[in-house]
Amino acid sequence: MDQFRDFSDDRLINGCIYCGAVAETRDHVPSKILLDPPYPENLPVVGSCQRCNQGFSKDEQYLVCLLESVLVGSTDPEKIRKPSVARAMKRSPALRSRIEAAKSIHGQKVFFDPEETRIKNVMLKLARGHAAFDLSQPCKDEPDYYWCGALESLNEEQQDGFSAAHIQQLYGEIGSRNIQRMLAAEVTLQSETGEQNTLQVVVNDWVDVQDGSYRYLAIDDIGGVIIRIVISEYLACEVVWQVNA
């Protein structure tokens, strides 16, 4: 990954970005458990207290094992594609049994009923990490909006909107990594009468941490702080803090 130095006000982000306590450790965002080796270089890291750094581990493991089970339609370690997940399933029969108990079969389709609270814990952790690292925005409060589900559950128009780059209207924290990533571009719009207008815009695009494994979009604009995440090109999430409202 391209790494940018943070030139924003260093008073904005202090202590653990999840709870505000003293940051005794550093935490990867995203966690390596969500990626495949060899891992990308220059993974983002944020300050975290020891309690938070370790406190999400079980939920992260649950999410990864559940997601792989959904993608292959089975909890059988022999069918799991990711070696690390297959090993986790073998080491923890209780975890496999818990995910297996959430499985149901309707016709020829396999469904899993996820533990929503555990998934939300992980997704909010990731969203807060991206808000702090990319936008220099502390977002410790509960979000104003949260959605998480299968990307394919959205219709084609919704998927296109979700995955589109963001056209920035107002700048966020000057000096943040997000500001440094933005690109100036010219777009030509044609009206119904055929008249063409050329506009200069600032584009805030997705960051591909690892192709096919993890990508995210961090936005700080009129609508507030918006974080969108896609894991394994299957699980999608959007989190919004209306800090600018």
Side-chain angles (χ1 to χ4, degrees), residues 16-235:
C16 174
I17 63 105
Y18 307 119
C19 73
V22 175
E24 305 145 331
T25 65
R26 309 289 282 175
D27 189 30
H28 286 103
V29 182
S31 305
K32 287 184 176 180
I33 194 173
L34 298 171
L35 307 173
D36 295 319
Y39 301 114
E41 296 180 355
N42 300 321
L43 282 175
V45 291
V46 294
S48 173
C49 68
Q50 192 73 38
R51 180 173 175 271
C52 286
N53 200 336
Q54 297 178 350
F56 294 100
S57 297
K58 290 184 177 180
D59 287 343
E60 287 176 331
Q61 185 180 64
Y62 167 80
L63 172 61
V64 172
C65 291
L66 173 68
L67 184 55
E68 279 298 299
S69 298
V70 170
L71 292 175
V72 302
S74 173
T75 62
D76 184 350
E78 301 301 323
K79 296 180 180 179
I80 296 294
R81 300 170 304 174
K82 285 189 175 184
S84 60
V85 175
R87 290 193 297 270
M89 290 291 212
K90 290 178 180 178
R91 286 196 307 266
S92 179
L95 175 60
R96 180 185 173 187
S97 296
R98 191 162 186 162
I99 296 175
E100 181 68 29
K103 185 177 76 173
S104 60
I105 300 176
H106 301 277
Q108 295 182 338
K109 292 187 177 182
V110 178
F111 296 88
F112 288 85
D113 185 19
E115 297 179 38
E116 298 287 353
T117 300
R118 302 187 73 178
I119 293 176
K120 185 176 181 179
N121 285 342
V122 177
M123 303 313 291
L124 288 185
K125 175 208 171 185
L126 295 169
R128 290 185 171 107
H130 293 311
F133 184 85
D134 289 88
L135 306 175
S136 298
Q137 285 281 9
C139 295
K140 301 182 183 71
D141 295 334
E142 281 296 302
D144 296 285
Y145 173 80
Y146 168 85
W147 172 81
C148 186
L151 187 60
E152 64 183 21
S153 69
L154 304 177
N155 62 40
E156 185 175 350
E157 183 179 355
Q158 291 171 329
Q159 287 189 42
D160 289 344
F162 185 89
S163 294
H166 175 71
I167 304 302
Q168 199 75 15
Q169 300 179 67
L170 293 177
Y171 289 114
E173 177 61 27
I174 300 300
S176 68
R177 295 179 177 91
N178 179 252
I179 288 289
Q180 297 172 60
R181 286 197 185 98
M182 292 184 187
L183 300 173
E186 284 190 349
V187 296
T188 300
L189 303 178
Q190 182 170 314
S191 68
E192 294 180 356
T193 61
E195 181 181 358
Q196 291 187 342
N197 292 308
T198 299
L199 302 176
Q200 293 184 335
V201 297
V202 176
V203 179
N204 179 8
D205 210 349
W206 287 74
V207 176
D208 285 308
V209 177
Q210 189 175 64
D211 189 34
S213 294
Y214 193 100
R215 59 185 171 98
Y216 70 92
L217 176 64
I219 300 168
D220 184 4
D221 208 339
I222 293 175
V225 168
I226 303 171
I227 307 294
R228 292 176 183 160
I229 299 168
V230 177
I231 303 175
S232 297
E233 288 305 315
Y234 178 82
L235 185 65

